[in-house]
Amino acid sequence: MRGFATGRLGIDFFIGEDIVKTLKLAVVAFALLGGVAHADVIKVGVVGPFSGPFALQGKSFKAGIDAYMAVNGNTVGDDTVEIVYRDIPAADPAQSRALAQELIVKEGVQYLAGFYFTPDALAATALLEQGNVPMVVMNAATSAIVTKSPYVIRTSFTQYQVSSPIAQVAFNAGAKKVITVVSDYGPGIDAESAFKVAFEAAGGKTVESVRMPMSTNDYAPIMQRIKDSGAEGVFAFLPSGPTTLGFVKAFNENGLKDAGIKFFAPGDLTQESDLPALGDAAVGMQTTFHYAISHDSDANRKFVEAAGKAIGNPAEVNFPAVGAFDGMHVIYKMIEATGGEQDAAKAVDAIKGLSWESPRGPVAIDPESRHITQNIYLREVAKAEDGTYYNKEIQTFEKQGDPGLAYVK
Ligand code: PHB
């Protein structure tokens, strides 16, 4: 059977009746679904240190993102994911806010991510609700960040989360009097309080608390202060990078180690790329952290291989890579849940309670805080048979939330 149909331009053309039926059905289905399913490019704006002294940390962000996209592809449903990078070499909140604004307004990103330093993450949170944009923090580790906007999710760690378990380790190791030394900004202050609270609860005494300006790079006077304090151990936090390498070297080279002063810290201070430069002096150093490159699981081996390929030199892969890899997992889940539409509230709701197997072990997004619940590991710097150094996991503190949230004012 044949029939006529009239084209939109008024030109009559001849088509089969069955085809007319099919077209009518398609029009109804189109109306019911509310529009055409069209493929979009979903942009993700990533802010991090890609140049300057902390460039290696930014490189790890990129390695984690590239690894995730290499393993999982660059599409979610019909949509293609595109990453737009912006460089912020040092902590600079005004610059971070300007970059985030430009990404939202000019680039039209649907998601913000990255943020190595706390002040940069905090500054961008003010833009999220108006911009209708969720933000996935891939490193910045001050507890308060997630409380600044309902659209913040964190896939890294907090200083409270990683520094609390080392206090008990320090006490059990026989250090009853400890001095704390931290960088004087958000994560340093959190690390200091986390350690003090847990150490004093265990029965230890904090004899002195030193806060160093972030710009400090001569650590010899601090080492003298540690010696003079009479403490049996030191707890320290500095943001990973040239800072941590300089500090741990100074500890090892200024006779503190030889004087029997014990060293305790979160794993920021023994990140893998620093170990060759620290050498044998670092062997035996104990830290607590959420991730070690050596973590023994298939998921991690797959991740390390992909991140190593992405970065070019596998010895440069550090912990920000795992925060970025898991951050991308959360972003893909949000894109899936919203069908690619820009709806920050719906996207964030969809990943509350999400759990998965990360390269670091089992993790979940706490539905209340939107921060990641994860195992924290006690690790010791060890030397492998081939002469390379690594963080060897020796104890697991399972399913740790963020104790720091209880102290956020
Ligand atoms: C932070 O600024 O929140 C930060 C930076 C580097 C770290 C940890 C925390 O290693």
Side-chain angles (χ1 to χ4, degrees):
M1 295 292 271
R2 303 269 182 145
F4 282 96
T6 303
R8 267 173 46 222
L9 298 174
I11 304 161
D12 286 346
F13 53 94
F14 192 64
I15 52 174
E17 212 171 74
D18 289 345
I19 297 178
V20 173
K21 270 190 207 152
T22 311
L23 280 174
K24 279 183 184 160
L25 277 174
V27 169
V28 172
F30 169 84
L32 284 175
L33 290 171
V36 194
H38 54 283
D40 273 328
V41 171
I42 311 270
K43 290 189 185 177
V44 179
V46 175
V47 178
F50 299 107
S51 68
F54 292 91
L56 205 54
Q57 310 306 103
K59 264 179 108 173
S60 266
F61 272 169
K62 187 165 185 306
I65 292 166
D66 286 350
Y68 190 84
M69 296 177 83
V71 174
N72 298 283
N74 68 341
T75 55
V76 182
D78 284 340
D79 301 316
T80 303
V81 180
E82 186 187 308
I83 311 293
V84 185
Y85 288 98
R86 288 293 178 270
D87 181 23
I88 186 154
D92 183 345
Q95 174 71 353
S96 175
R97 195 187 156 110
L99 290 174
Q101 174 120 14
E102 185 257 333
L103 283 166
I104 295 171
V105 176
K106 290 214 184 112
E107 282 291 337
V109 301
Q110 282 194 33
Y111 296 89
L112 278 177
F115 299 98
Y116 188 67
F117 291 106
T118 287
D120 299 342
L122 284 174
T125 59
L127 306 172
L128 306 179
E129 281 187 79
Q130 210 190 344
N132 190 21
V133 170
M135 169 170 156
V136 179
V137 176
M138 294 172 164
N139 187 67
T142 303
S143 290
I145 298 169
V146 290
T147 68
K148 300 297 177 195
S149 160
Y151 294 165
V152 181
I153 302 136
R154 176 163 36 206
T155 54
S156 51
F157 61 102
T158 68
Q159 290 315 140
Y160 252 100
Q161 196 175 27
V162 298
S163 296
S164 301
I166 196 81
Q168 188 67 53
V169 172
F171 188 79
N172 293 348
K176 308 290 184 246
K177 287 190 290 173
V178 164
I179 177 171
T180 62
V181 181
V182 300
S183 292
D184 190 9
Y185 80 120
I189 292 159
D190 274 10
E192 177 194 283
S193 329
F195 182 83
K196 267 189 177 175
V197 166
F199 189 58
E200 284 163 21
K205 186 169 187 298
T206 313
V207 291
E208 203 176 324
S209 289
V210 181
R211 294 181 181 177
M212 303 171 285
M214 272 183 92
S215 55
T216 304
N217 55 24
D218 175 10
Y219 301 106
I222 308 275
M223 295 306 147
Q224 192 56 48
R225 222 166 135 182
I226 296 173
K227 271 189 213 163
D228 294 346
S229 74
E232 297 150 346
V234 58
F235 167 82
F237 166 80
L238 297 90
S240 274
T243 28
T244 43
L245 182 58
F247 187 88
V248 179
K249 269 192 144 182
F251 178 85
N252 288 338
E253 289 165 9
N254 280 264
L256 279 81
K257 195 180 176 211
D258 295 339
I261 297 173
K262 296 185 169 71
F263 184 90
F264 304 101
D268 309 70
L269 276 81
T270 60
Q271 69 168 345
E272 281 79 358
S273 68
D274 287 348
L275 297 180
L278 294 174
D280 283 348
V283 171
M285 275 189 156
Q286 293 198 336
T287 57
T288 40
F289 218 33
H290 60 300
Y291 179 64
I293 302 284
S294 68
H295 183 71
D296 183 16
S297 76
D298 287 343
N300 186 49
R301 277 182 281 277
K302 208 168 147 188
F303 162 72
V304 170
E305 198 194 324
K309 253 190 217 152
I311 208 167
N313 176 5
E316 288 185 341
V317 179
N318 282 319
F319 65 91
V322 84
F325 185 84
D326 288 327
M328 287 310 292
H329 180 65
V330 168
I331 290 171
Y332 273 38
K333 287 288 173 197
M334 290 194 282
I335 296 173
E336 196 180 294
T338 50
E341 295 301 317
Q342 184 157 3
D343 186 339
K346 189 173 177 187
V348 174
D349 263 354
I351 53 81
K352 289 181 179 169
L354 180 73
S355 62
W356 71 100
E357 162 87 6
S358 156
R360 65 188 100 171
V363 297
I365 300 296
D366 175 56
E368 298 297 315
S369 66
R370 290 159 275 103
H371 175 70
I372 195 161
T373 303
Q374 57 192 331
N375 294 342
I376 301 300
Y377 305 92
L378 172 64
R379 312 98 46 81
E380 192 168 286
V381 177
K383 193 173 187 175
E385 274 175 22
D386 65 1
T388 55
Y389 300 95
Y390 67 107
N391 287 300
K392 180 180 180 181
E393 290 176 355
I394 53 178
Q395 192 184 338
T396 304
F397 302 87
E398 281 184 8
K399 289 192 185 159
Q400 303 290 301
D402 179 14
L405 287 165
Y407 300 93
V408 175
K409 285 172 215 119

